[in-house]
Amino acid sequence: MRGGLRWLHRPFQVVCVLVAVLLTAAFSLSASFAGHSGGGAPIPDKPSLGTLGERLNANTIALISGNPNATYLTIAYDLSDVLDDGDNFRVLPVIGKGGGQNIRDVRFLKGIDLGITQSIILNEYRANNEIGNIDDKIDYITKLFNEEMHVVVRADSGITSLQQLDGKKVNFSDVGSGSQLSSRDIFQRLGVHPVEVNMGQGDAVQKLKTGELAATILIAGKPTGLMGKLRASQGLRFLPVAFAKPLQADYLPAVLSHTDYPGMVEEGHDVNTIAVSAVLICFNWPGDSDRYRRIAAFVDRFFPKLAELQKPPHHPKWRETNLAAVLPGWNRFPAATEWLKQHGQAAPVLAASGGDAGASEAQRDRLFQQFLDWQSHERR
């Protein structure tokens, strides 16, 4: 499989993952009913695992990702494609709800050690204490890439800014997703109050076309599969998102270009938007535990192979990953910190995330200009 994967084949692999998840759910449900009929007894482990079974379980690590419309699942599959080593090591991608639910799953679900989320949502969970204190429960391994805000409206809607969505029905994507929680944060900072609805992007696009919705929002690493299927000829367009001052502490400016979405953006007419950082997180297991050993083994395989992940046919977002980028206020997984020290990785001057909340206006403006200069260079 390694080296043979192509974007054309991705739908097949996504279907395979979906089938696997559905089968797992079916068996779990069946076992659950059986447990209830036996007086609530716990579900037994599989009998007679043997040496092979024990090795498979000891060397497999589960990564909670996202739904097939977003980028997380592709990123998780890329990791599996590059890092899998037969029975010696395996990354198991798991379909998830997205950034918000993924934090809860890493914190509470048995068998889930890794997850992908957004930095802004980590900070929100810490602030609202919704799932208790997570400072000593969740570590980050590395920042991954920036996720762009995609806001789709009808071409004939006359809507030109987020402010004009005030009081209108807007799809924030699935409940518990990063799109939902970050969209709430963005509108709150801007003082705009749309009527939130929650549904998958496929359904939302249909309701957008019929006028039942004013807009649908997806915050994900470009290019995304579903957004790539949209066409301006369908009467749709991307709504520009201004990099307003209330957003500058935690978001970055970004663009959606013709290269990203040739069916939606004319060449030379980039659409301005904003972005937030995607982060790879893990549960903070004790250093002498088997689960800690598994995550450390993942780091030892992942970090040296970043250059391979940054090559086609893997998702182009891997080219934004800088292993040394720091997530302010959060602890990095100790084995990841140790790997970076041993390999002389220094923190970057310009991290791929929002600005420091304590930075001066001049510093934020300078960061903005540096980003624009870098972005212009990347598109040459």
Side-chain angles (χ1 to χ4, degrees):
M1 168 170 41
R2 189 170 305 165
L5 186 64
R6 292 295 180 268
W7 284 103
L8 183 61
H9 299 158
R10 293 268 181 195
F12 171 75
Q13 284 135 358
V14 168
V15 169
C16 289
V17 175
L18 283 167
V19 170
V21 171
L22 289 172
L23 287 174
T24 301
F27 284 125
S28 298
L29 186 60
S30 174
S32 177
F33 281 128
H36 282 300
S37 64
I43 300 172
D45 288 334
K46 294 178 180 178
S48 304
L49 289 176
T51 303
L52 175 59
E54 291 174 359
R55 186 164 75 251
L56 284 172
N57 280 278
N59 296 327
T60 298
I61 191 164
L63 168 58
I64 189 77
S65 57
N67 66 59
N69 290 327
T71 310
Y72 290 176
L73 184 58
T74 302
I75 292 297
Y77 188 85
D78 282 347
L79 285 166
S80 174
D81 176 49
V82 171
L83 304 187
D84 278 12
D85 182 23
D87 298 339
N88 297 317
F89 190 79
R90 181 184 177 196
V91 176
L92 182 64
V94 180
I95 292 176
K97 288 288 187 181
Q101 186 63 45
N102 287 358
I103 296 174
R104 302 170 70 94
D105 291 347
V106 170
R107 170 64 182 89
F108 294 114
L109 274 189
K110 294 180 180 179
I112 298 295
D113 291 302
L114 303 173
I116 307 175
T117 189
Q118 294 172 358
S119 57
I120 193 73
I121 302 177
L122 270 177
N123 293 332
E124 181 179 338
Y125 268 69
R126 168 191 275 164
N128 63 28
N129 206 38
E130 180 180 332
I131 57 174
N133 181 15
I134 58 174
D135 285 356
D136 62 343
K137 302 295 190 300
I138 301 289
D139 285 350
Y140 77 99
I141 292 177
T142 187
K143 288 186 180 181
L144 289 172
F145 49 84
N146 291 332
E147 296 188 77
E148 291 77 17
M149 186 177 194
H150 302 71
V151 184
V152 184
V153 298
R154 294 190 314 279
D156 62 358
S157 65
I159 297 171
T160 59
S161 69
L162 291 183
Q163 283 71 15
Q164 289 178 287
L165 294 175
D166 193 85
K168 294 181 172 65
K169 284 188 177 181
V170 177
N171 176 46
F172 282 28
S173 201
D174 300 316
V175 173
S177 66
S179 293
Q180 181 203 29
L181 299 179
S182 290
S183 294
R184 285 180 176 179
D185 178 70
I186 290 164
F187 282 112
Q188 181 180 0
R189 293 183 187 217
L190 296 176
V192 180
H193 306 284
V195 178
E196 177 184 338
V197 297
N198 303 104
M199 65 185 71
Q201 291 298 324
D203 291 336
V205 168
Q206 294 306 313
K207 292 184 180 295
L208 184 62
K209 291 177 180 178
T210 62
E212 297 174 70
L213 290 176
T216 184
I217 298 173
L218 177 66
I219 300 179
K222 64 178 186 181
T224 72
L226 185 135
M227 292 294 167
K229 297 176 183 177
L230 300 183
R231 297 291 181 268
S233 59
Q234 300 171 324
L236 303 173
R237 62 181 170 84
F238 287 127
L239 181 68
V241 179
F243 188 52
K245 285 199 178 294
L247 306 175
Q248 292 177 11
D250 296 293
Y251 295 87
L252 276 174
V255 296
L256 306 176
S257 70
H258 175 77
T259 302
D260 303 320
Y261 300 107
M264 285 286 284
V265 182
E266 291 183 32
E267 194 164 5
H269 292 79
D270 293 351
V271 178
N272 291 325
T273 188
I274 57 174
V276 65
S277 292
V279 185
L280 182 63
I281 62 172
C282 65
F283 189 80
N284 180 26
W285 291 103
D288 58 352
S289 66
D290 176 67
R291 304 293 282 274
Y292 182 99
R293 178 196 62 78
R294 279 192 235 187
I295 302 174
F298 168 82
V299 170
D300 287 341
R301 287 165 170 79
F302 166 36
F303 281 17
K305 293 191 175 181
L306 176 60
E308 186 174 344
L309 286 160
Q310 292 175 333
K311 299 175 183 177
H314 304 115
H315 199 287
K317 275 294 178 178
W318 281 112
R319 295 196 290 270
E320 295 180 10
T321 303
N322 186 325
L323 297 176
V326 175
L327 186 63
W330 291 91
N331 296 319
R332 196 191 293 267
F333 184 63
T337 299
E338 185 61 30
W339 191 96
L340 293 172
K341 286 181 179 178
Q342 290 180 359
H343 293 82
Q345 296 277 357
V349 175
L350 180 60
S353 68
D356 183 351
S360 69
E361 182 174 340
Q363 287 173 321
R364 287 197 298 269
D365 289 344
R366 186 164 58 253
L367 177 66
F368 185 17
Q369 188 57 52
Q370 287 176 336
F371 179 83
L372 292 178
D373 291 343
W374 169 84
Q375 196 173 60
S376 175
H377 175 74
E378 287 293 301
R379 290 204 301 267
R380 290 174 189 168

